[in-house]
Amino acid sequence: MPSPKTKIRIENLSVSYKENRVLSHIHLDIPEKAVTAITGPSGVGKSTLLLALNRLLETEHEARISGKITLFTQNAWQDIHHPHTDVFALRQKISMVFQKPNPLPMGIFANLALPLKLRGIRKKKDVEEAVTQALMQARLWEEVRHRLREDARTLSGGQQQRLCIARSLVMQPEVLLLDEPTSSLDTKAETAIENLLQELKKTCTLVLVSHSRRQVADLADFEYAMPNV
Ligand code: ADP
Ligand code: MG
């Protein structure tokens, strides 16, 4: 069988918060259109690793980062730290879903329309089409189609998390980073998200931090167990 294509290559990545070294000389290839699970005990640096991949880590003032991360996109390797890298565009390509659902304090529709508007997509028909498609893809459409103007915070936890995934999907990311996305959800909501991820990996590269051995066994094509520093 041909080896899977690499989507993200991490070379010699080290991260410190002030004097506290959290990641030390990490090397990892993340294959495209598959689920790579990142595992390991609390505090080992799993969230830090995810945040490094789309440069959200730079928003943490104390973080010092060294090493190289390259993304295979548009048929070429892009160094994410290159001075010409457009960080806004990078974070559209590599989008993040957090442990706790974080809908914006506005309507369900507006939560998805906002990132489109920020990217300059304003034509009503285009916005409606993209929002509807993302909600369908996140398997939320049937539950919200008659309440699109209601505040997103009125949704259940599981629905909020699918909304956050839809908010990422609306920008058509190439990579989705998921930091323990089901750990605050009940079993039914967890199953809904897991089914969604199974479907999504056909089109998107998924990097999933998970504490659940069962979830890793069910979903992951590859596993990276974080080394202790
Ligand atoms: P994990 O996700 O595996 O639980 P984290 O990446 O969240 O691990 O954290 C790794 C270590 O880095 C922990 O010791 C944590 O306290 C520390 N840490 C995380 N974020 C920060 C921060 N913004 N400032 C300082 N230390 C941090
Ligand atoms: Mg974490």
mmCIF file of all heavy atoms in Angstrom, residues 17 20 22 40-49 60 62 179-180 209 211, ligand 1:
data_model
loop_
_atom_site.group_PDB
_atom_site.id
_atom_site.type_symbol
_atom_site.label_atom_id
_atom_site.label_comp_id
_atom_site.label_asym_id
_atom_site.label_seq_id
_atom_site.Cartn_x
_atom_site.Cartn_y
_atom_site.Cartn_z
ATOM 1 N N TYR A 17 7.212 27.911 28.085
ATOM 2 C CA TYR A 17 6.513 29.049 28.672
ATOM 3 C C TYR A 17 7.463 29.629 29.715
ATOM 4 O O TYR A 17 7.760 28.966 30.705
ATOM 5 C CB TYR A 17 5.214 28.612 29.343
ATOM 6 C CG TYR A 17 4.169 28.063 28.376
ATOM 7 C CD1 TYR A 17 3.884 26.699 28.336
ATOM 8 C CD2 TYR A 17 3.462 28.910 27.537
ATOM 9 C CE1 TYR A 17 2.917 26.202 27.471
ATOM 10 C CE2 TYR A 17 2.496 28.414 26.668
ATOM 11 C CZ TYR A 17 2.226 27.063 26.637
ATOM 12 O OH TYR A 17 1.273 26.563 25.777
ATOM 13 N N ASN A 20 9.789 27.310 31.590
ATOM 14 C CA ASN A 20 9.226 25.973 31.669
ATOM 15 C C ASN A 20 9.146 25.328 30.284
ATOM 16 O O ASN A 20 8.279 25.640 29.481
ATOM 17 C CB ASN A 20 7.825 26.085 32.308
ATOM 18 C CG ASN A 20 7.128 24.744 32.433
ATOM 19 O OD1 ASN A 20 7.785 23.691 32.419
ATOM 20 N ND2 ASN A 20 5.817 24.769 32.528
ATOM 21 N N VAL A 22 8.052 22.823 27.732
ATOM 22 C CA VAL A 22 6.873 21.952 27.666
ATOM 23 C C VAL A 22 7.002 20.924 26.537
ATOM 24 O O VAL A 22 6.662 19.760 26.704
ATOM 25 C CB VAL A 22 5.591 22.807 27.471
ATOM 26 C CG1 VAL A 22 4.381 21.918 27.300
ATOM 27 C CG2 VAL A 22 5.394 23.732 28.660
ATOM 28 N N GLY A 40 -1.785 11.273 25.800
ATOM 29 C CA GLY A 40 -0.816 11.425 26.883
ATOM 30 C C GLY A 40 -1.492 12.062 28.086
ATOM 31 O O GLY A 40 -2.576 12.633 27.965
ATOM 32 N N PRO A 41 -0.845 11.966 29.257
ATOM 33 C CA PRO A 41 -1.465 12.480 30.475
ATOM 34 C C PRO A 41 -1.627 13.999 30.472
ATOM 35 O O PRO A 41 -1.003 14.694 29.657
ATOM 36 C CB PRO A 41 -0.494 12.035 31.580
ATOM 37 C CG PRO A 41 0.783 11.706 30.897
ATOM 38 C CD PRO A 41 0.453 11.326 29.496
ATOM 39 N N SER A 42 -2.452 14.508 31.373
ATOM 40 C CA SER A 42 -2.654 15.943 31.520
ATOM 41 C C SER A 42 -1.333 16.651 31.746
ATOM 42 O O SER A 42 -0.477 16.149 32.476
ATOM 43 C CB SER A 42 -3.558 16.228 32.715
ATOM 44 O OG SER A 42 -4.881 16.191 32.312
ATOM 45 N N GLY A 43 -1.170 17.793 31.137
ATOM 46 C CA GLY A 43 0.007 18.616 31.383
ATOM 47 C C GLY A 43 1.208 18.253 30.530
ATOM 48 O O GLY A 43 2.259 18.882 30.618
ATOM 49 N N VAL A 44 1.058 17.268 29.655
ATOM 50 C CA VAL A 44 2.214 16.800 28.873
ATOM 51 C C VAL A 44 2.473 17.701 27.645
ATOM 52 O O VAL A 44 3.517 17.611 27.011
ATOM 53 C CB VAL A 44 2.019 15.306 28.501
ATOM 54 C CG1 VAL A 44 1.087 15.139 27.292
ATOM 55 C CG2 VAL A 44 3.352 14.612 28.262
ATOM 56 N N GLY A 45 1.477 18.548 27.318
ATOM 57 C CA GLY A 45 1.705 19.512 26.231
ATOM 58 C C GLY A 45 0.861 19.285 24.980
ATOM 59 O O GLY A 45 1.163 19.832 23.923
ATOM 60 N N LYS A 46 -0.214 18.531 25.117
ATOM 61 C CA LYS A 46 -1.054 18.221 23.940
ATOM 62 C C LYS A 46 -1.701 19.487 23.368
ATOM 63 O O LYS A 46 -1.651 19.722 22.167
ATOM 64 C CB LYS A 46 -2.145 17.197 24.319
ATOM 65 C CG LYS A 46 -1.598 15.899 24.899
ATOM 66 C CD LYS A 46 -2.706 14.917 25.246
ATOM 67 C CE LYS A 46 -3.659 15.392 26.326
ATOM 68 N NZ LYS A 46 -3.061 15.616 27.650
ATOM 69 N N SER A 47 -2.296 20.292 24.245
ATOM 70 C CA SER A 47 -2.939 21.527 23.765
ATOM 71 C C SER A 47 -1.894 22.477 23.191
ATOM 72 O O SER A 47 -2.139 23.135 22.170
ATOM 73 C CB SER A 47 -3.695 22.213 24.902
ATOM 74 O OG SER A 47 -4.726 21.391 25.372
ATOM 75 N N THR A 48 -0.740 22.528 23.832
ATOM 76 C CA THR A 48 0.348 23.385 23.340
ATOM 77 C C THR A 48 0.736 22.988 21.920
ATOM 78 O O THR A 48 0.928 23.855 21.052
ATOM 79 C CB THR A 48 1.564 23.273 24.287
ATOM 80 O OG1 THR A 48 1.158 23.686 25.599
ATOM 81 C CG2 THR A 48 2.725 24.125 23.807
ATOM 82 N N LEU A 49 0.831 21.678 21.679
ATOM 83 C CA LEU A 49 1.187 21.199 20.336
ATOM 84 C C LEU A 49 0.143 21.647 19.305
ATOM 85 O O LEU A 49 0.492 22.163 18.245
ATOM 86 C CB LEU A 49 1.321 19.671 20.351
ATOM 87 C CG LEU A 49 1.635 19.009 19.000
ATOM 88 C CD1 LEU A 49 2.981 19.462 18.469
ATOM 89 C CD2 LEU A 49 1.615 17.489 19.122
ATOM 90 N N GLU A 60 -0.180 33.499 23.120
ATOM 91 C CA GLU A 60 0.277 33.315 24.510
ATOM 92 C C GLU A 60 1.629 34.009 24.630
ATOM 93 O O GLU A 60 2.635 33.522 24.140
ATOM 94 C CB GLU A 60 0.470 31.821 24.828
ATOM 95 C CG GLU A 60 -0.700 30.950 24.478
ATOM 96 C CD GLU A 60 -1.662 30.798 25.645
ATOM 97 O OE1 GLU A 60 -1.308 31.260 26.755
ATOM 98 O OE2 GLU A 60 -2.747 30.255 25.434
ATOM 99 N N GLU A 62 3.962 34.434 26.658
ATOM 100 C CA GLU A 62 5.162 33.891 27.283
ATOM 101 C C GLU A 62 5.751 32.723 26.506
ATOM 102 O O GLU A 62 6.784 32.208 26.878
ATOM 103 C CB GLU A 62 4.849 33.418 28.714
ATOM 104 C CG GLU A 62 4.044 34.391 29.556
ATOM 105 C CD GLU A 62 4.905 35.527 30.062
ATOM 106 O OE1 GLU A 62 6.098 35.559 29.721
ATOM 107 O OE2 GLU A 62 4.359 36.382 30.791
ATOM 108 N N ASP A 179 -9.393 19.734 20.207
ATOM 109 C CA ASP A 179 -8.790 19.537 21.533
ATOM 110 C C ASP A 179 -9.814 18.961 22.501
ATOM 111 O O ASP A 179 -10.624 19.693 23.065
ATOM 112 C CB ASP A 179 -8.250 20.876 22.057
ATOM 113 C CG ASP A 179 -7.282 20.663 23.215
ATOM 114 O OD1 ASP A 179 -7.161 19.521 23.701
ATOM 115 O OD2 ASP A 179 -6.650 21.658 23.636
ATOM 116 N N GLU A 180 -9.797 17.648 22.668
ATOM 117 C CA GLU A 180 -10.765 16.947 23.515
ATOM 118 C C GLU A 180 -12.184 17.453 23.264
ATOM 119 O O GLU A 180 -12.871 17.906 24.185
ATOM 120 C CB GLU A 180 -10.383 17.121 24.996
ATOM 121 C CG GLU A 180 -8.968 16.623 25.284
ATOM 122 C CD GLU A 180 -8.650 16.580 26.767
ATOM 123 O OE1 GLU A 180 -9.496 16.077 27.519
ATOM 124 O OE2 GLU A 180 -7.560 17.048 27.146
ATOM 125 N N VAL A 209 -6.960 15.556 19.918
ATOM 126 C CA VAL A 209 -6.469 15.261 21.259
ATOM 127 C C VAL A 209 -7.578 14.529 21.995
ATOM 128 O O VAL A 209 -8.725 14.985 22.017
ATOM 129 C CB VAL A 209 -6.095 16.552 22.023
ATOM 130 C CG1 VAL A 209 -5.816 16.237 23.487
ATOM 131 C CG2 VAL A 209 -4.876 17.203 21.385
ATOM 132 N N HIS A 211 -8.570 11.856 25.501
ATOM 133 C CA HIS A 211 -8.223 11.129 26.722
ATOM 134 C C HIS A 211 -8.812 9.725 26.727
ATOM 135 O O HIS A 211 -8.490 8.917 27.591
ATOM 136 C CB HIS A 211 -8.810 11.876 27.934
ATOM 137 C CG HIS A 211 -7.810 12.714 28.608
ATOM 138 N ND1 HIS A 211 -8.061 14.005 28.994
ATOM 139 C CD2 HIS A 211 -6.541 12.467 28.982
ATOM 140 C CE1 HIS A 211 -6.985 14.511 29.552
ATOM 141 N NE2 HIS A 211 -6.043 13.593 29.558
HETATM 142 P P1 ADP B 1 -2.156 19.181 28.061
HETATM 143 O O1 ADP B 1 -3.055 19.742 27.005
HETATM 144 O O2 ADP B 1 -1.444 17.928 27.639
HETATM 145 O O3 ADP B 1 -2.874 18.970 29.358
HETATM 146 P P2 ADP B 1 -0.919 21.809 28.024
HETATM 147 O O4 ADP B 1 -0.336 21.994 26.677
HETATM 148 O O5 ADP B 1 -2.202 22.493 28.304
HETATM 149 O O6 ADP B 1 -0.994 20.239 28.336
HETATM 150 O O7 ADP B 1 0.109 22.309 29.109
HETATM 151 C C1 ADP B 1 1.439 21.819 29.192
HETATM 152 C C2 ADP B 1 2.156 22.540 30.329
HETATM 153 O O8 ADP B 1 2.308 23.914 29.977
HETATM 154 C C3 ADP B 1 1.449 22.506 31.664
HETATM 155 O O9 ADP B 1 2.416 22.381 32.655
HETATM 156 C C4 ADP B 1 0.768 23.853 31.728
HETATM 157 O O10 ADP B 1 0.634 24.275 33.050
HETATM 158 C C5 ADP B 1 1.733 24.744 30.954
HETATM 159 N N1 ADP B 1 1.040 25.856 30.274
HETATM 160 C C6 ADP B 1 0.036 25.735 29.375
HETATM 161 N N2 ADP B 1 -0.343 26.950 28.909
HETATM 162 C C7 ADP B 1 0.432 27.862 29.528
HETATM 163 C C8 ADP B 1 0.527 29.299 29.494
HETATM 164 N N3 ADP B 1 -0.258 30.021 28.700
HETATM 165 N N4 ADP B 1 1.447 29.885 30.266
HETATM 166 C C9 ADP B 1 2.263 29.164 31.058
HETATM 167 N N5 ADP B 1 2.214 27.816 31.163
HETATM 168 C C10 ADP B 1 1.320 27.165 30.402
#
